[in-house]
Amino acid sequence: MKILVVDDEPLARARLVAMLNDMPGVEVAGEAGNGVEAVVRADELGVDALLLDIAMPVMDGLEAARHLLTFESPPAVVFCTAFDEHALAAFEAAAVDYLVKPVRAERLAEAIERARRQRAGRQAASLPAVTGKRRSHLSARLRGSLRLIPIEDIHYLQAEEKYVVVHHARGEDLIEESLKSLETEFGERFLRIHRNCLVATEEFLELRRTGDGSVHAVLRHGKAPLEVSRRCVPGLREKLKHL
């Protein structure tokens, strides 16, 4: 079992690593200090399981677990946290176990065995429930490599066949999510201008009417103005007044 140890406290990571090193059949593949590092390193290292803290900077453990579930072969997740109030959310994120710090060696061994069973296919991971907390990142794949895109860097989202093109500060990426689900999750941050397009609220510079009567949105970072559907114009003008 290749394990990734994730905690923003170096001493907490060191304690878990020491206990894992005493367990037969276990290899500590690496360490990470936040959720973004955890997802990226898990993808790079091809780990079997993660010991994952919940309260961390940049991205918390619960969101990291959601991104891990998008992997072709998701690693098992064991949450290790100082707070027991996250237990329900942890299991909704398809965790195989939930350990409260300070973690005891016998409970850790039990959790690793559960992770081992899941990876062996004898214990199926449950599907994650939809929670009310918005993600801080979207995950995309480019030629097999994982890319995490901060929500705050996204300029606009455009549906294209079965994909959504994410236009962001570093370029463009494709994700396999519906525009409707993204609007539901991030409705306060993005405004719909067309049935196939959501735009970040801070991106709007102006709504410009052309000679043929159509309306286009001029964006701060757009290469060209984007068409606004007639159906969206009245509501969009009203919302932009209050920004």
Side-chain angles (χ1 to χ4, degrees):
M1 287 282 288
K2 293 174 63 177
I3 311 292
L4 180 67
V5 179
V6 186
D7 198 301
D8 61 325
E9 297 180 5
L11 289 177
R13 293 200 305 270
R15 186 172 185 275
L16 290 171
V17 168
M19 286 191 286
L20 290 171
N21 285 336
D22 289 335
M23 295 182 185
V26 171
E27 173 193 347
V28 177
E31 300 178 27
N34 61 59
V36 169
E37 290 179 7
V39 176
V40 172
R41 297 219 67 195
D43 185 59
E44 292 173 345
L45 297 170
V47 298
D48 298 299
L50 291 87
L51 299 182
L52 189 58
D53 190 17
I54 291 181
M56 295 184 292
V58 186
M59 178 191 291
D60 66 28
L62 292 172
E63 182 180 345
R66 292 178 64 183
H67 289 291
L68 293 168
L69 282 165
T70 68
F71 286 19
E72 183 176 350
S73 179
V77 171
V78 175
F79 283 111
C80 302
T81 178
F83 308 99
D84 58 8
E85 66 265 25
H86 295 300
L88 178 58
F91 286 110
E92 288 176 345
V96 298
D97 210 337
Y98 181 93
L99 308 178
V100 178
K101 299 175 183 177
V103 177
R104 293 180 290 110
E106 57 269 29
R107 276 292 286 123
L108 180 58
E110 181 182 326
I112 295 300
E113 180 55 32
R114 288 184 178 180
R116 194 191 308 275
R117 290 200 302 269
Q118 185 190 88
R119 293 295 288 173
R122 294 194 293 270
Q123 177 181 320
S126 59
L127 292 175
V130 177
T131 63
K133 185 176 180 180
R134 293 190 299 271
R135 288 170 288 175
S136 62
H137 294 66
L138 296 182
S139 54
R141 290 211 170 259
L142 179 64
R143 293 185 290 274
S145 297
L146 178 74
R147 179 176 293 180
L148 290 172
I149 309 163
I151 298 299
E152 61 189 21
D153 287 352
I154 297 173
H155 302 150
Y156 62 99
L157 302 157
Q158 204 160 32
E160 189 173 291
E161 296 182 352
K162 66 175 182 177
Y163 298 100
V164 167
V165 183
V166 183
H167 298 263
H168 56 89
R170 292 174 292 164
E172 301 175 6
D173 284 289
L174 296 179
I175 61 172
E176 294 188 63
E177 299 190 44
S178 73
L179 206 63
K180 180 62 178 175
S181 67
L182 292 166
E183 183 179 29
T184 299
E185 185 174 357
F186 302 106
E188 294 181 3
R189 185 170 183 85
F190 296 94
L191 297 178
R192 184 176 287 273
I193 67 166
H194 197 279
R195 61 181 176 81
N196 69 351
C197 190
L198 299 173
V199 176
T201 54
E202 67 269 18
E203 282 297 305
F204 288 95
L205 286 178
E206 65 172 308
L207 296 183
R208 181 180 298 167
R209 188 175 295 277
T210 61
D212 61 2
S214 61
V215 175
H216 288 75
V218 180
L219 309 184
R220 297 183 188 278
H221 298 97
K223 296 178 182 177
L226 300 176
E227 181 184 359
V228 181
S229 69
R230 293 186 178 182
R231 181 178 181 180
C232 291
V233 169
L236 184 59
R237 286 192 187 278
E238 185 62 27
K239 289 177 181 176
L240 291 178
K241 287 180 184 178
H242 301 286
L243 291 181

